[in-house]
Amino acid sequence: MSTTPGAKSRSITPTVFEQQRAELVREIAVGMEQVLQNMNRLNRNLESIISVGNEFGSVEALWSRFENFMGQPAEGTEAPDRRNEGGQQQEEKEAQSELRDEEMKDAEA
């Protein structure tokens, strides 16, 4: 089988299409590498944000216990009007809680 000189030169030097394709493939590979690096950076940032948030969990629990303790009426030392206000505050808290629950359901839908 004989080959023509034009066929040999064609197999050695890439065509314009092959050159452009190789360049585009290289650009895509570089772009994908940058996306991967940015995703890793984002992941590390999210992990650090979550860890900082978790550090405040004990502080939040302490303040919550303090709030609950301060919200409890003392036994036999408060005036009847004061006890009534506490009941109203409890009703307001329950109403706010119900509103938040409804808003969460609406947000999920």
Side-chain angles (χ1 to χ4, degrees), residues 53-91:
N54 288 339
E55 290 175 7
F56 287 101
S58 61
V59 175
E60 185 273 334
L62 180 63
W63 277 107
S64 179
R65 288 178 55 199
F66 176 74
E67 179 186 17
N68 290 338
F69 175 76
M70 293 304 291
Q72 293 176 353
E75 294 180 19
T77 59
E78 292 188 26
D81 292 339
R82 183 77 173 147
R83 288 186 191 143
N84 223 0
E85 289 176 9
Q88 290 174 349
Q89 289 175 352
Q90 182 65 27
E91 290 173 5

Side-chain angles (χ1 to χ4, degrees), residues 17-107:
F17 168 77
E18 291 171 339
Q19 290 173 348
Q20 289 177 344
R21 181 180 66 182
E23 179 64 23
L24 290 173
V25 167
R26 188 190 65 74
E27 288 178 16
I28 290 170
V30 168
M32 294 299 287
E33 182 66 30
Q34 289 175 345
V35 167
L36 181 62
Q37 289 173 357
N38 289 335
M39 287 178 65
N40 287 335
R41 187 178 308 136
L42 175 64
N43 189 33
R44 285 191 302 271
N45 288 339
L46 288 173
E47 287 175 352
S48 66
I49 289 169
I50 289 170
S51 68
V52 168
N54 288 339
E55 290 175 7
F56 287 101
S58 61
V59 175
E60 185 273 334
L62 180 63
W63 277 107
S64 179
R65 288 178 55 199
F66 176 74
E67 179 186 17
N68 290 338
F69 175 76
M70 293 304 291
Q72 293 176 353
E75 294 180 19
T77 59
E78 292 188 26
D81 292 339
R82 183 77 173 147
R83 288 186 191 143
N84 223 0
E85 289 176 9
Q88 290 174 349
Q89 289 175 352
Q90 182 65 27
E91 290 173 5
E92 289 174 5
K93 285 181 183 179
E94 290 173 359
Q96 289 175 350
S97 176
E98 290 174 3
L99 285 173
R100 273 188 249 125
D101 291 343
E102 290 175 10
E103 289 174 355
M104 293 293 283
K105 289 178 184 175
D106 291 341

Side-chain angles (χ1 to χ4, degrees), residues 4-25:
T4 59
K8 281 186 179 180
S9 65
R10 187 176 256 182
S11 66
I12 295 172
T13 57
T15 63
V16 174
F17 168 77
E18 291 171 339
Q19 290 173 348
Q20 289 177 344
R21 181 180 66 182
E23 179 64 23
L24 290 173
V25 167

